[in-house]
Amino acid sequence: MEIVELSPADERLASVYPVLRELRDGLSDEELGARYADGHVDGYRIVAVFDGDECRAAAGYRLLTNFVSGRHMYVDDLVTAKAWRSHGYGRLLNKYLVELARNEGCTSVQLDSATHRRDAHRFYFRERYWISSFHFVRAL
C-alpha cells in the first residue's frame, strides 16, 4: 500500500482518473487532466492510495488561508473506488490528509458533500467532521 502525491504530468493519473470519475462522472480523462493542470498552478493537488499499480482511492485538496477559517485544508474531492469501499482506503486517505494539514499549520480540514451522498455523510461523521454551514452557489 502506498499513498502518492501526483503532479499533473504523472503517468499514474491514468489509473486515478477512473476513480475520480466515480465522483465527477461528467468529466472525461482529458477534462480532468486539463482541470488538474490549471488548478495545480493555484495549489490544487491530487493524492492517491495505490495497491501495486491499482488506484484504490483518491483526493484533491488545497491549502488555503482566509478570514473565516485562517489556514486550512479544503478537500475538493475524496473518493474510494466502488469495488474497494468499506475496506479502509478512505479512512487511510483521510488520515493522511489530516496529518498533512496539521504539518502545514492548518487549524481545520474542510469539505463540501452533495446532499444526496448519504453514504459519504456517514463516512465524514465517523471521521469526526460536522456540518458547520450551508454552501450557496449562483450559476453564471
Side-chain angles (χ1 to χ4, degrees):
M1 199 72 47
E2 180 182 24
I3 298 177
V4 180
E5 296 261 350
L6 302 154
S7 75
D10 197 306
E11 293 178 2
R12 293 171 289 187
L13 286 169
S15 65
V16 172
Y17 289 159
V19 176
L20 285 172
R21 264 200 321 280
E22 291 188 26
L23 185 61
R24 308 291 177 215
D25 57 357
L27 300 175
S28 67
D29 281 3
E30 294 76 24
E31 290 169 311
L32 287 167
R35 288 187 184 190
Y36 188 30
D38 289 346
H40 195 266
V41 174
D42 296 323
Y44 181 73
R45 300 293 183 262
I46 291 177
V47 60
V49 178
F50 283 90
D51 190 357
D53 292 334
E54 183 180 6
C55 178
R56 301 282 173 94
Y61 72 90
R62 297 172 280 157
L63 300 174
L64 303 168
T65 302
N66 60 23
F67 290 135
V68 68
S69 299
R71 181 127 172 107
H72 66 283
M73 175 184 283
Y74 185 83
V75 178
D76 294 89
D77 315 284
L78 177 59
V79 60
T80 299
K82 188 172 184 173
W84 296 106
R85 291 185 187 148
S86 297
H87 286 84
Y89 296 107
R91 178 172 227 168
L92 181 67
L93 191 52
N94 182 65
K95 182 179 176 184
Y96 173 88
L97 292 169
V98 167
E99 190 60 30
L100 176 63
R102 278 191 184 111
N103 291 340
E104 291 291 334
C106 296
T107 59
S108 65
V109 176
Q110 302 178 23
L111 56 87
D112 290 323
S113 181
T115 56
H116 68 280
R117 297 191 179 276
R118 291 186 181 104
D119 290 341
H121 302 162
R122 282 191 295 276
F123 170 79
Y124 294 128
F125 286 134
R126 278 193 312 267
E127 294 297 310
R128 300 189 323 217
Y129 290 84
W130 67 89
I131 299 170
S132 66
S133 65
F134 291 103
H135 179 89
F136 292 91
V137 175
R138 179 178 173 178
L140 303 176

